[in-house]
Amino acid sequence: MSNQKLAEYVTLVSSDGFEFNLLRSAACLAGTIKKALDPKSGFREGEQNRVHFETINGVVLEKVCEYLYYSQKFAESKDVPDMDIPPALCLELLIAADYLDV
Amino acid sequence: MKSARAKGLHGDDIDFENTWGTLASAFREIHTKNASRLSYEELYRHAYRVVLKKKGEDLYKRVLGFERDWLSTEVHNSIQALLTPNLLVSAQAVGTSNTNERRVAGEKFLKGLRQAWGDHQVCMSMLADVLMYMDRVYCQDNRHPSIYTAAMVLFRVDILNHPVSDTDARAVLDLLNRVILDQIQMERDGDVIDKYLIKMCVGMLESLHEDEAEAEDQRLYNTSFELEYLTTSKEFYRKEAEFLLRDSDAGAYCRHTRKRLDQEEDRCKSTLSEVTTPKIQKVVEHELIKNRIHELVEMESGVRFMIDNDRLDELELMFDLNSRVDDKKMELVRAVQKRIVEMGADVNNAAVAASTAPAPAPDAPDKGKGQPQEKNSNQQTIAAIKWVEDVLQLKDKFDGILRTSFGMDQPLQTAVTRSFGDFINSVSFPRSSEYISLFIDENMKKGIKNKTELEIDAVLEKAIVLLRYVQDKDLFERYYKKHLCRRLLMNKSISNDVEKQMISKMKIELGNNFTLKLEAMFKDMTISEELTSGFKKHVEGLGDKDPKRIDLAINVLTSMTWPLETMSSGDDEEGKRTKCHFPPALERIKRGFEKYYSEKHSGRQITWLANMGSADIKAVFPKVPQKDGTTKERRHELNVSTYAMVILLLFNELPADQHLTFEEIQAQTNIPHSDLVRNLQSLAVAAKTRILIKEPMSKDVKPTDKFFFNEGFKGAFLRIKVGVVANGNKVESDRERRETEKKNDDSRGFCIEAAVVRIMKQRKELSHQQLVAETLNQLAAQFKPEVNMIKKRIESLIEREYLERIEGAKVDSYRYLA
């Protein structure tokens, strides 16, 4: 069990092998990731600080990470600049969002 | 949208049974704490897919089924393993087994249960994480409780409400309650228990609910445990109260109760739940205080004992406890009142006993004034002063109790005041006003000598305090006037300032009306002084240089303000005041003053009251051979009453060996019989002032007795004061007392009439009831008239046509006739 101090960064792995290192606080904005990493539950992801997503490819996951940082950055501000989302990715991003509970 | 999603990312069909198999085995891993081998993402993905495939309902049911299986086999078995026979026995009949074993077994059981509960919570939250998507999509859409909640319900149904074993039908929950109660009982008996552990179990009960609705008051804690806790506590405290009342004293009982209350509060904080605090406190209060307070107060060592022995802290406890259950503190109030009245009655009785007891030393003949009557009334005076001091002491005591123990509580304060009023005004003891006045008199005459202003003030304040309790203020006024009158005329008062201070105090306390006449008396005194000096100058101005001139000091008293009738000795009836014949020397000066006075104030009449005056005589006794052989003329200054002076002046003109009989003296002086007897007694009988010799020598004065001038009189001092028998302020004899009361009643009659007329003048018409009530109200500051008396006065007013009855009115009513 990871009783020791939680690592500041966690790793997200896409289905095609891309790895994204990002702040735990940002990653945990997504419900699914948060629960996967929950130290109280002690799943394998929590032990390794690494979540492997079998269903999300690198392009989409990159965009997800971008969004997580984006939403953390502007969590408490108004007049947020729009985030640029390529229309081609729209559908896949929506599915990922549902899956990740963002 | 969903179908699009399914096609896009997870288009492949899934096999439900397969997936469930994976999930179920994973769940088992979770329950056996092997979660680190599992990938959350994988499990989540499986569950996610199942739900996407509209198999949410199946999944939900499967999970619940899985949990139920798990609980009723694995968990239930593990709990069963904790149930030692010891524990089961103890549950059936508490007290049969060793306390220590029972405690250990109980703790083990509680620990196991808590463990099971903790595990269940952790596992279910993990499962809920995995099944998050199901909760989010399926449960919400179909209004099912989340999987976590549903599983908690399962815990209640399959563990807590499950029978303990196949042979024992009681639910585990009952057992749990029993064990906790048992543990608490052990703590009450002084054992140390694992409070934290119990707190955890209580926490479990608090988070589980009786039914699915999860209402706040339906928590298992409230519906099951708390209920039982309160009933057992009630039983326990009922027994304890019985035991304590039998075996310990009231003080210990109070302390114990206080301790129990604190303990229960602590217990609720540390062991149980804070919501129970008010409830259990109520139980304790009810059982230990409310149901017992009467017995407690009445105990041999109860309030009475505490008061008698100044157990202030215990009284405080008692007060605290009583005020918890009763705002008005009825029981305590009642007990305190009763005690005050009892103690007051004691004081009253002691005073009565002391005043009627035989003189303490009847065989001491050298006591100067040998009259038994005299001694008796002296004794009464002492009794009166003792009474006042006793009452004050009592008052101090209860003030102390009020202050330190009862926190100046309002109801108790009024109770104490009322009780004091009760016994001071009690019917069986009618002398309080007289005694208080006597007390002041005594202090004015002697008590305040050598005291600082502050101390004097304290004494006066005390008197005022008592006065406040007295209902019949008019009676007090009467006595006070009488006593003050004596003090002023005979110059007995030590300090006029103090007298005035006292009056101003009474003025503050009782109002202007009360002291009006008293102040007038002082004014008369001042005017008299002026008159005296004025007259002196006037006489000097006349050029009468007679060396034998007699100095005259005069007190002119307004007859309305001074209670002169009370000054005359009781024998002569009113209005028959005989005029004393003054010897010519006096007569001259008397006329001189009358002339002087009528010049100053025309139309005023002066009545001479010789019975109240006194005179200084320079007497020369002829040479008499002394023991050492020398002969010497002896001079004495005799301070005697006016009457005595008149008598002595008779002998002045008499040859030395001649005598006068009693009758002769009376004929020549015209002094009232009783005054004459008394004066002659003090002149001829009292050993130290025997200026006359009486034949035959006896105490009583008979009309045929002969009196000689005592040429061989010896006095140790130059100034000799010839006291007149029975002339001080003493307690009245019964006869005097009846008279005083009669007079008082008369003056009350006038007061009542005046009040009635005042009221009717204002109101014109009034019913009988209202009139009586208002009259009582108006007169409350002075005295409390009897209703009967008011009735009589009203009758009399009707007779005299101040009022008339209103004919035909429904209730008795009167009209004022202008």
Side-chain angles (χ1 to χ4, degrees), chain B residues 66-217:
Chain B
F66 173 83
E67 277 307 314
R68 168 163 288 166
D69 270 3
W70 177 264
L71 286 172
S72 53
T73 53
E74 299 287 330
V75 179
H76 188 243
N77 285 346
S78 72
I79 285 177
Q80 204 121 47
L82 295 169
L83 299 174
T84 59
N86 191 331
L87 195 63
L88 289 172
V89 166
S90 80
Q92 272 151 358
V94 176
T96 50
S97 61
N98 181 321
T99 316
N100 207 32
E101 281 172 29
R102 222 168 64 225
R103 196 185 67 221
V104 172
E107 271 178 17
K108 211 168 128 207
F109 169 74
L110 291 178
K111 260 184 203 146
L113 203 58
R114 185 195 60 184
Q115 184 68 43
W117 167 247
D119 288 351
H120 185 66
Q121 272 183 311
V122 170
C123 295
M124 282 325 293
S125 85
M126 286 166 78
L127 252 64
D129 285 352
V130 170
L131 300 170
M132 180 174 69
Y133 196 73
M134 180 181 78
D135 272 345
R136 226 170 79 206
V137 175
Y138 168 75
C139 293
Q140 268 180 18
D141 288 357
N142 295 283
R143 310 229 162 144
H144 282 302
S146 74
I147 191 73
Y148 184 83
T149 318
M152 291 300 127
V153 172
L154 283 182
F155 189 82
R156 188 194 81 222
V157 174
D158 288 317
I159 298 295
L160 294 182
N161 289 350
H162 209 268
V164 172
S165 64
D166 299 337
T167 50
D168 195 342
R170 283 168 306 141
V172 174
L173 178 61
D174 290 340
L175 190 64
L176 172 66
N177 289 342
R178 197 55 56 70
V179 169
I180 297 178
L181 290 177
D182 202 26
Q183 299 270 326
I184 288 173
Q185 188 56 49
M186 287 173 202
E187 193 192 22
R188 278 184 189 145
D189 291 341
D191 277 352
V192 178
I193 57 166
D194 189 347
K195 291 179 180 171
Y196 182 68
L197 179 62
I198 296 176
K199 179 93 182 164
M200 297 297 289
C201 291
V202 167
M204 170 178 83
L205 292 177
E206 275 188 304
S207 50
L208 289 175
H209 295 75
E210 187 69 8
D211 52 22
E212 325 292 318
E214 312 218 327
E216 187 65 6
D217 56 343

Side-chain angles (χ1 to χ4, degrees), chain B residues 475 525 619 789-790:
Chain B
L475 200 61
M525 291 306 286
M789 200 187 235
I790 301 179

